[in-house]
Amino acid sequence: MSAIDRGNLGFVQDDNTLETPGKRATLVLNMKSFGEVTHQVARVSEARKAPLAWYVAFVVSLGLCGFLGVCVTYLIFAGVGVWNLNNPVMWAFDITNFVFWVGIGHAGTLISAILFLFRQKWRTGINRFAEAMTIFAVICAGLFPGIHVGRVWLAYWLFPIPNSMELWPQFRSPLLWDVFAVGTYFTVSLVFWYVGLIPDLATLRDRAKGTIRQLGYGLFALGWRGSNRHWHRYEVAYLLLAALATPLVLSVHSVVSFDFAVSQLPGWHTTIFPPYFVAGAIFSGFAMVVTLAVPARQLFGLKDLITIRHLDNMNKIILVTGCMVGYAYSMEFFIAWYSAALYEKFAFVNRAFGQYWWAYAFMVSCNVITPQLFWFKALRTSIPAMFVLSLVVNVGMWFERFVIIVSSLANDFLPSSWGDYAPTWVEIGTMIGSFGLFGVLFLLFCRFLPMIAIAEVKATMPQGNPHWEGYGHGAGHAGAGAGGGHVSHAHSSGAGPTSIAGSALASPSPEAPLSPGGPNS
Amino acid sequence: MPPLNDRDIASSQSACGAPETSPAPASQHGQQQQPTRSWWRSIEEKSPTPEMLEQLGREFPEGADQLPDGEDRRTFIKLMGASMALAGIGVSGCRRWPESKIVPYAVRPSDRVPGKPVIYATATEYAGVGIGLLATSFDGRPIKLDGNGDTWMGRGVGTISQSRIIELYNPERSITALHKGAPSDDAAFTAWARERFDALKTRGGEGLAFLTEAFSGPSWADMKARLSKALPKATWTTWEPLSNDAALTGLATALGGARRLIPDYSLADVVVSFDDDFLNASPLSPRFTRDFAKTRRVKSKEAKTASLSRLYSFESTLSVTGMFADERFAVRTSTLPAVVATIAMDLKLFDGTPALATALAKLAAMFDAGKLDAGRQEALKRLVEDLRTSRGRGIITAGANQPPAVHALCAAMNDALGNTGATVRYVPALETPSLPAMRSLVEALNAGKVDTLMIIGGNPIYTAPVDLDFGAAMAKAANVIHHALEVNETSRHAACTWHLPAAHFLECWGDVRAWDHSVSIQQPLIYPLVPDAQNARSPIEVLALVAGGEVPLDGAAIVRRTHLADRTGAEAEAAWRRQLDRGVVPNSAVELESRPAVKLAAVASSLESCAVCIGSATAGMELVFFNDMKVFDGRFGSIGWLQELPDPVTKITWDNAALISPVTAKRFDLKKGDLVRLAAGGRFVEAAIWPVPGHADDSVSIALGYGRTDCGSSIAQGAGFNAYSIRSSNGMWVVADAGITRTGARYDLAHTQDHGVSEAIIPAVPHHGIQDRLPTLVRQGTLTEFREHPDFAKHRTHVTHRLSLWEESNLDGAAHRWAMSIDLGTCTGCSACVIACQAENNIPIVGKDQVARGRELHWIRIDRYFKGADMERPEGFAIAPVTCMQCENAPCEQVCPVAATVHDEEGLNNMVYNRCIGTRYCSNNCPYKVRRFNFFDYQRRVPVREQEGFMAVKPEYFVETGPELRLRMQFNPEVTVRMRGVMEKCTFCVQRIQAAKITAKNAWAKKGGLASGTSGYTIPDGMITTACQDACPAEAIIFGDLSDSKSRVSALHADDRSYQMLEELNTKTRVKYMARITNPVAEPSHGGGHHASAPANAGNEASPHTPEAPAKGGAA
């Protein structure tokens, strides 16, 4: 009997963004078999040559990354003076970039940890590379506090390293909290990401043809065999790490916002900053995921796995967080007015109408007005529209940090010490170069690691449902593939969805026969 | 393998490290030792083989001192020594410290403790005004100059005199004689000169002309007299481009003889200044400031009866005096004579002298007081009334740019008002008018009457009136000798035969006369930093050289001869020593003339001609030249400290600018930094425009002394615009009908204030932002307000709660609680404190480019604000020196991640440079923005005007060579030199605190410590002074210990006038300001300019304890 309404499986519909009450939308299109999914993801790293666009992007990124090296070397040799910082604007591009990149780093862990805990299955299509994006963004972020200090060679004094001078960092300083917050976040995100990678690394290992690949992936696969015990441990570890990472998503940007909120500078000294920064971080992080996912799915042929529905969902989050950010902007003004504090009032009026009015106007248009376009489903599901809008949001969120940092510093308490700021080529170069660094890391990831969590995606597929009864018997299901037999086998063995995914690891695919020495061989 | 051939067993046992004197082959040693042995160590020794003998000769077992590759240890060390020595030659710069020769004392002079500073009294002069100084010397290096309180000038000596320490170490000062531009030496010059001067002597000096700066000292006068006797036909010209010829002529007219005006501002109730920036621009300003400050102090306890002098200022260019004035009138300089005449008319002083009255009426008719706004009209009326009622307690003074008639009239008015003899006195003038002298010299030169021109000091090619064409005239002299501290335009002129390096005043003997003729001896502190072969001379030594033979050539001998005459013996010697020690020659001042008779008829005729000459000048655009408070006439242009000092009014550094009123700027459509062409008398100069609120309309003013084109100083070169190039002898100070045209080009001026406002989309937002907070930041009140509410300053802001994130400590139990009080009532903004701090604390200059980027490093700055809703016509000015407030609850400390800025128990907010990694968070969190960051290694760079090269770093940055190292001789060894990447800030001169504590502790311990019955050492109040305090001529800065309840600072902090800047932030500052009390003629009205009048309104309307004053005032 056919308990499943096949019409709802999504095989026949390209548009999985429609909501049918009581029915779940399909997250993998075109009736893929487990083997096809495996192949689709794994072939990216197995192909002898990457797409031409990858090479172009990589050369450009590498060039920018090299320029970052030039800028940083120049900075270290000549001094912080090569940036246009001054008294009073002692921080500008450096900390703007830091906060920007940390913010970008938010989406990954949010998608992988919080959405995991909330059982949002659509996360599986995007979580892997969102997490990778997090790791790389945090690396980029970490660069800036390191190089922005006046005496770079002593930056390690920020860490609580036992030393003969018995000198410790100053624990009241938010910069020190940053060190802990970002450090913890990076570590946990990295571990979380890596743990999630293990089953897929084993898949790649198993499919690998060359010795180097076998050894390389084999080393990092930590001897994964896909046994029930492995899966069990893995599931528990993953859940615990998700639970551990979840508060970090909230804490890290809260702590970063303390850099500002704890100071007493008008425009920084605001209690709204922690939630506002977290919302902004998620906002910019999701925008960045969209920015990266759109070309990646196109380039590597992953449209069936990162579907319009995934993107649509992310755009909805961008809309929500964009509204939260907009609310925060207006609330800042309200509180400034309501406080009747002279300097506070001035800081915000000046932000909008003073010397950095253009940055403020740019920020509001990008972050508050632009996301409103996502109320329209047509735009939410349009690839060109979302790509442009996500870029706009990214730029806008960079400007938000710039506005907060520079406009507050430039016009503070004593008008005699007011200043102005414009970047030098070194600052601009360092900022662009950090995108190069990010690009290099991200492109290498795309090329050599599974961009999509293969095992997890399979769990969301219809075949992953223990009660699924195969591709059915009727005609019209041209897509019915070779995987069916395996699945029914798994079903009969009574294992849960994860077992199914696990067994799928071993499922031979027509294009890539099971390599010798595979787990089930 | 070379044998161990230069050391035997015996010498190896001798004292380690003793030099070997007689190297000898090892074989000899062996032979020498062997026969004397009666005991042996082994069979082998008994029957020696050569190998055995060699082994015995060894200090160490075989192989132990040899390198595996065959070199023994000794050879290795030799080679290493040689290579290290060579390395020392090659990379001698790769060290942190400059190379120096240390010659220890064989016998230490008594009282000389190495590392302990010694203070000597010495003196300097410029423009003929002697200034007594105290020079601090560290191990033979003079490092700081302060005023000598025993001299006429007093303790604070202003910015220029303090900065002249840098002149001494200037890496670019002249150290080589130049003969026709080519390097030469003193021997060549002396040989040349001897022949020339001997020939001149036979002609009685005919054809010899001296052109000198003004030298005031008796030794100079003595030498000149002797030389005049020997060379009677030689001519003498004194040229001072900023000489106050008008005052000399005017006073001579009115009083019948050349006089100097000596006003006593400390006695004045009313001061009227007609374009006289007596508080800043003249060399006498520090003394005037100190005197005037005495009339501006009020005590809150006696508020009911408090009185204050009132300063009226009439000026075209906004000056320090004008900003300080209670009532200021922005009046064109050309119109001012008519204003003075109007006031004289209104005073009705000269009605008995019809000629004078007529002349006044004629002149006064050129000024229409009706055109002034109501407030100014009222003020003008009150001015007349004040002068009349304050007979004998007023001072009327006029500036150098006013015609002689105005000076004469002011003298007559002072006399008629009874001020002369009371607040105004005179002494005979020593100087003569410069311009006529220069004119006749040029005539003589052009007539071919001068064969040898001896220029001692100065730079006439640059400073002489342009119409006299001094260059062409000078070229007519066969020989021109130029003696100066620096190579300048005159030394570089093609006609200059010889340039001779001069000795700096700290390098040679001399003497000077202060304004009241009192004499100070100029003692040298250091051997000239000029090669011996060049023989840097002092001016008197140059005269001695010209005189030749019979007089001593040595400056010391000349000065001794002048002062001791023929007195000899122990008593004379002791007196001489006392003079040197004290720095002033007793009873050398002349007696002040009480009341010289005024020749009203002469004044009348002088005014008559003045009325004719200014007739047309009362309309149209005028151009005013003024003397710069930094470079003076240009001679101090090579002093980087001065170039980088922000002008107190414009806050411009490294340049001058064409100052103009915003209204006039708008009329000509000119913006800040627009390059314009200023034309006067057919000549023109390009200059950048800088609108100054408060400047008179239809007037443009430019400071002299900038725009050097061919001087030897990279610091002066290219700074600003050369106003001398349009300054002609008939328009030395004011030019009527000046032209001003746009060139379309722009010029970047580096300024330290007023950033961050110009780009606002709504300009009123930052402007109102400033005006709203000004009443709380720089608190001012009128005298009336103060009398009613002495504590008005406490109520300018509303502090309801003070919550802290952290547990606070107010350090109550501390032995000392260092604190400072800054009196805004007396601070004029002269900026002497800025330079003093720079000198004391090794603060480098950063260069124009870096200042433009907002990176100046001054630890103390002077904030200057314009008050009032109208951005173009300020209603007042606010001045506040701002330095580290040493907050007890310091925001900077809480955010430093590495604990590099920490509090000590005495309340100092210390900066630990070693610990600082430069996150700059402290600066971001400092509400006063007084922290300064070393963006580069400014001490190692010589950044002057532009950031140079791709790396923005000169090679010297890495390899330390070159004469720039000489600048480091000025460093105060008690203060760390900060490297790049660290934050720095005011320390309250912690090195002075520590020195005083050590002295006090030692004294206490010497007395027996605890056994003496005292619980601890005590530091008497006033024993510790900060550098800024020492320099402050107004004595506005007081430092001390709050734990000492009797200290001055305790009293000042307890005063009702005291307040903390930004106290609502709960920073609990240790620096407190004393609110300024002004004495305007009328209370600010409620209608006009609500922002400026806000504080007054608030104070008047609200009872002293209603705390919503600022908000109410702001919204009024």
Side-chain angles (χ1 to χ4, degrees), chain A residues 74 76-78 81 83-87 90-91 94 148 150-151 170 173 259 263-264 346 411-413 416, chain B residues 756 773 853-855 863 891 893 895-897 914 916-921 924-925 931-932 935-936 950 980:
Chain A
Y74 178 36
I76 291 171
F77 267 87
W83 292 349
N84 221 355
L85 301 173
N86 57 56
N87 200 4
M90 287 283 182
W91 289 348
D94 46 359
H148 98 293
R151 301 201 290 173
Q170 215 263 101
S173 170
D259 283 353
S263 83
Q264 58 176 351
F346 173 77
N411 301 70
D412 73 331
F413 293 99
S416 63
Chain B
R773 61 186 74 179
R853 287 166 197 268
R855 295 174 180 172
D863 287 0
E893 291 171 10
V895 297
C896 175
N914 282 348
C916 178
I917 64 171
T919 65
R920 308 185 291 284
Y921 198 175
N924 288 343
N925 208 28
R931 295 183 147 261
R932 296 285 177 265
F935 285 95
F936 290 115
F950 175 71
R980 123 185 179 211

Side-chain angles (χ1 to χ4, degrees), chain A residues 70 74-91 94 148-155 157-158 163 165 167-177 258-265 268 342-343 346-347 349-350 352-358 409-420 424-425, chain B residues 752-762 765-766 769-770 772-773 776-777 805-807 853-855 861 863-865 882 891 893-899 913-921 923-933 935-937 947 949-953 957-958 979-983 1061-1062 1064-1065 1067:
Chain A
V70 170
Y74 178 36
L75 171 83
I76 291 171
F77 267 87
V80 182
V82 302
W83 292 349
N84 221 355
L85 301 173
N86 57 56
N87 200 4
V89 187
M90 287 283 182
W91 289 348
D94 46 359
H148 98 293
V149 298
R151 301 201 290 173
V152 178
W153 49 98
L154 298 176
W157 284 357
L158 283 166
N163 58 76
M165 297 178 285
L167 266 171
W168 292 97
Q170 215 263 101
F171 289 92
R172 291 189 303 181
S173 170
L175 286 190
L176 189 71
W177 310 343
F258 289 162
D259 283 353
F260 309 106
V262 168
S263 83
Q264 58 176 351
L265 193 74
W268 284 13
L342 193 62
Y343 304 104
F346 173 77
V349 175
N350 188 59
F353 304 111
Q355 56 174 337
Y356 291 106
W357 63 272
W358 51 272
L409 283 172
N411 301 70
D412 73 331
F413 293 99
L414 300 191
S416 63
S417 44
W418 285 357
D420 30 37
T424 61
W425 66 266
Chain B
T752 60
Q753 215 185 305
D754 310 325
H755 291 275
V757 289
S758 54
E759 301 296 318
I761 190 167
I762 302 177
V765 165
I770 296 170
D772 284 348
R773 61 186 74 179
T776 67
L777 293 181
L805 269 177
W806 323 107
E807 191 184 336
R853 287 166 197 268
R855 295 174 180 172
R861 63 168 197 265
D863 287 0
R864 181 271 292 123
Y865 301 104
V882 179
E893 291 171 10
Q894 291 164 8
V895 297
C896 175
V898 291
Y913 305 122
N914 282 348
R915 181 66 178 165
C916 178
I917 64 171
T919 65
R920 308 185 291 284
Y921 198 175
S923 172
N924 288 343
N925 208 28
C926 172
Y928 309 97
K929 289 287 174 284
V930 288
R931 295 183 147 261
R932 296 285 177 265
F933 187 65
F935 285 95
F936 290 115
D937 242 338
Q947 204 170 4
F950 175 71
M951 290 294 280
V953 180
Y957 180 86
F958 298 106
M979 76 176 302
R980 123 185 179 211
V982 303
M983 196 60 80
M1061 197 183 267
L1062 298 176
E1064 59 270 39
L1065 298 178
T1067 47

Side-chain angles (χ1 to χ4, degrees), chain B residues 613-676:
Chain B
C613 80
I614 71 161
S616 63
T618 48
M621 193 76 175
E622 67 167 14
L623 173 66
V624 180
F625 302 107
F626 65 98
N627 51 346
D628 190 73
M629 56 82 67
K630 302 191 279 180
V631 304
F632 197 58
D633 59 6
R635 72 181 78 178
F636 303 122
S638 61
I639 300 178
W641 287 354
L642 291 173
Q643 288 278 8
E644 194 156 301
L645 180 69
D647 181 276
V649 176
T650 61
K651 295 290 162 191
I652 294 176
T653 65
W654 290 95
D655 282 300
N656 63 346
L659 311 180
I660 196 169
S661 83
V663 175
T664 310
K666 208 177 255 177
R667 194 152 60 79
F668 284 90
D669 191 22
L670 294 168
K671 292 196 172 55
K672 269 184 185 180
D674 278 347
L675 212 55
V676 295

Side-chain angles (χ1 to χ4, degrees), chain B residues 173-394:
Chain B
R173 67 180 272 202
S174 168
I175 55 163
T176 316
L178 300 173
H179 181 48
K180 292 181 174 149
S184 180
D185 61 18
D186 187 59
F189 172 73
T190 324
W192 179 91
R194 203 59 280 138
E195 200 182 312
R196 283 257 25 100
F197 291 135
D198 286 348
L200 281 167
K201 221 177 277 175
T202 56
R203 305 202 303 258
E206 193 179 0
L208 176 62
F210 288 92
L211 172 59
T212 71
E213 283 180 339
F215 294 112
S216 61
S219 293
W220 170 267
D222 182 54
M223 283 303 297
K224 189 176 158 184
R226 282 166 196 264
L227 206 50
S228 301
K229 208 181 274 177
L231 306 166
K233 289 179 185 161
T235 62
W236 294 80
T237 307
T238 306
W239 169 243
E240 280 290 340
L242 302 182
S243 158
N244 196 344
D245 287 5
L248 273 172
T249 325
L251 292 183
T253 309
L255 307 173
R259 296 294 204 295
R260 277 177 179 177
L261 176 71
I262 301 201
D264 189 343
Y265 287 100
S266 66
L267 301 175
D269 280 354
V270 182
V271 177
V272 184
S273 154
F274 295 111
D275 230 341
D276 184 12
D277 186 10
F278 66 92
L279 289 177
N280 199 41
S282 110
L284 309 171
S285 297
R287 163 72 193 235
F288 292 164
T289 305
R290 199 182 61 210
D291 287 348
F292 188 56
K294 288 179 184 149
T295 70
R296 306 294 297 191
R297 287 199 187 92
V298 284
K299 283 194 181 126
S300 299
K301 280 181 188 147
E302 300 149 17
K304 293 272 174 280
T305 56
S307 70
L308 217 56
S309 67
R310 182 174 286 159
L311 170 59
Y312 293 91
S313 167
F314 294 80
E315 58 185 14
S316 59
T317 316
L318 180 61
S319 71
V320 163
T321 308
M323 291 200 294
F324 196 71
D326 299 295
E327 293 294 344
R328 178 176 178 274
F329 300 75
V331 183
R332 296 164 77 252
T333 298
S334 334
T335 317
L336 254 181
V339 178
V340 186
T342 309
I343 292 168
M345 287 266 294
D346 293 350
L347 277 167
K348 301 191 173 55
L349 295 170
F350 307 113
D351 289 354
T353 321
L356 188 49
T358 324
L360 284 176
K362 200 167 163 189
L363 200 52
M366 295 175 191
F367 172 66
D368 179 10
K371 278 186 184 165
L372 296 175
D373 64 46
R376 296 304 83 196
Q377 285 191 20
E378 169 68 17
L380 200 59
K381 260 186 223 139
R382 287 290 301 271
L383 159 64
V384 171
E385 211 177 299
D386 280 347
L387 277 176
R388 204 181 281 140
T389 52
S390 313
R391 286 182 64 87
R393 298 193 313 279

Side-chain angles (χ1 to χ4, degrees), chain B residues 1035-1103:
Chain B
E1035 294 164 312
I1037 301 175
I1038 301 293
F1039 175 82
D1041 185 355
L1042 288 179
S1043 291
D1044 173 3
S1045 58
K1046 291 191 191 75
S1047 68
R1048 282 178 300 167
V1049 77
S1050 295
L1052 290 168
H1053 272 216
D1055 192 288
D1056 276 344
R1057 262 205 298 148
S1058 74
Y1059 73 95
Q1060 297 175 27
M1061 197 183 267
L1062 298 176
E1063 63 186 316
E1064 59 270 39
L1065 298 178
N1066 194 25
T1067 47
K1068 301 206 270 186
T1069 63
R1070 280 282 175 88
V1071 174
K1072 279 192 179 183
Y1073 291 93
M1074 304 288 281
R1076 178 163 186 231
I1077 312 297
T1078 57
N1079 192 8
V1081 297
E1083 287 302 305
S1085 65
H1086 288 221
H1090 67 271
H1091 286 292
S1093 56
N1097 284 347
N1100 287 344
E1101 288 165 359
S1103 75

Side-chain angles (χ1 to χ4, degrees), chain A residues 125-134 289 292-293 306 442 445 451:
Chain A
I126 49 168
N127 77 327
R128 171 68 45 74
F129 79 80
E131 280 175 59
M133 181 194 81
T134 291
V289 174
L292 296 174
I306 305 171
F442 192 77
F445 157 77
M451 250 182 296

Side-chain angles (χ1 to χ4, degrees), chain B residues 536-549:
Chain B
R537 289 186 174 84
S538 65
I540 49 173
E541 287 171 335
V542 176
L543 294 192
L545 177 83
V546 176

